Amino acid sequence: EAGVTQSPTHLIKTRGQQATLRCSPISGHTSVYWYQQALGLGLQFLLWYDEGEERNRGNFPPRFSGRQFPNYSSELNVNALELEDSALYLCASSLQDRGRNGYTFGSGTRLTVV
Amino acid sequence: SQQGEEDPQALSIQEGENATMNCSYKTSINNLQWYRQNSGRGLVHLILIRSNEREKHSGRLRVTLDTSKKSSSLLITASRAADTASYFCATVRNNNDMRFGAGTRLTVKP
């Protein structure tokens, strides 16, 4: 069974540009979660999608947005990039069981803003 | 915002010793989970304990949960160099909101 896949693995952008990060959940998982992990820090919750709908959002500005497609894959878009957006962005998926059996994480996309 | 807080922030032990990490949280939860992260990689789910459970075991891992104190501990017995990683607790509330602590960086010296 394929795990959660994220692409690209690395992304370098300049300040002001837009970044698009992608995530494919485990087959059968309908919920996708996005987290930001700045260097040496814990994970900050960004977004939760389930069945194509945004279910919850963390304390991030509106320039962080995303969507979930009918096949449950997801995109995270970051507009007007700032230097402090440089971080590892992690995607996780779970069954529609309210996380009661754990989440499966991808290996992340490392975004560097220069 | 963070929900859980782990302590210590960093822990260094010798191979064969036990490692204990603690997690405290602020709101009521549905379950609490522990994850491991090797340097800069994705997180690996280790163990989940539900709010009506007090203790759970999985191999060399033992997790306890005290909902009255809003705290949990992760014990790794007979540690190995390969256990070197960051360990995070994550709390899941009834709305499926999962929040992570800042993590404990464990170093096991051979």
Side-chain angles (χ1 to χ4, degrees):
Chain A
E1 175 186 89
V4 176
T5 57
Q6 290 188 246
S7 63
T9 52
H10 292 85
L11 188 59
I12 299 175
K13 292 284 186 178
T14 56
R15 194 168 47 182
Q17 284 189 314
Q18 180 201 38
T20 298
L21 288 63
R22 297 180 177 84
C23 172
S24 292
I26 286 178
S27 177
H29 284 191
T30 61
S31 282
V32 171
Y33 313 83
W34 288 95
Y35 290 84
Q36 181 197 64
Q37 187 179 29
L39 189 63
L41 298 180
L43 282 73
Q44 299 290 334
F45 169 70
L46 269 165
L47 290 159
W48 166 31
Y49 291 97
D50 183 65
E51 297 284 359
E53 303 270 339
E54 182 180 301
R55 300 295 184 185
N56 201 2
R57 174 179 188 91
N59 190 25
F60 280 83
R63 57 191 187 80
F64 286 83
S65 65
R67 53 180 172 166
Q68 186 178 35
F69 299 98
N71 65 354
Y72 303 116
S73 66
S74 177
E75 266 183 8
L76 173 68
N77 295 294
V78 189
N79 294 321
L81 285 164
E82 300 178 1
L83 296 179
E84 50 265 35
D85 296 333
S86 294
L88 180 67
Y89 288 83
L90 291 164
C91 168
S93 73
S94 76
L95 295 167
Q96 197 181 41
D97 63 350
R98 308 176 86 179
R100 287 168 183 167
N101 288 293
Y103 292 45
T104 304
F105 279 82
S107 296
T109 292
R110 182 155 305 276
L111 172 64
T112 303
V113 183
V114 297
Chain B
S1 62
Q2 300 292 90
Q3 159 74 316
E5 292 183 9
E6 289 96 334
D7 82 273
Q9 290 186 325
L11 180 60
S12 182
I13 59 175
Q14 293 294 133
E15 212 166 23
E17 293 181 336
N18 295 342
T20 299
M21 289 160 269
N22 302 297
C23 171
S24 60
Y25 57 93
K26 297 173 183 172
T27 64
S28 61
I29 59 172
N30 176 282
N31 67 74
L32 185 145
Q33 304 176 26
W34 284 90
Y35 288 81
R36 166 198 168 118
Q37 183 181 37
N38 286 3
S39 176
R41 304 290 301 263
L43 276 70
V44 175
H45 180 255
L46 294 176
I47 195 165
L48 180 153
I49 186 164
R50 303 184 197 287
S51 59
N52 61 352
E53 297 175 312
R54 291 297 165 257
E55 187 171 313
K56 215 163 177 184
H57 296 254
S58 176
R60 294 184 296 114
L61 304 181
R62 172 177 168 253
V63 169
T64 62
L65 179 65
D66 186 335
T67 52
S68 66
K69 294 180 180 177
K70 291 188 169 57
S71 67
S72 173
S73 67
L74 171 67
L75 169 67
I76 303 174
T77 59
S79 64
R80 306 166 182 167
D83 294 330
T84 294
S86 292
Y87 292 82
F88 295 89
C89 73
T91 53
V92 180
R93 297 193 279 186
N94 284 326
N95 62 354
N96 207 24
D97 188 347
M98 183 163 81
R99 305 295 170 113
F100 285 81
T104 292
R105 175 71 193 165
L106 173 66
T107 301
V108 181
K109 300 174 187 174

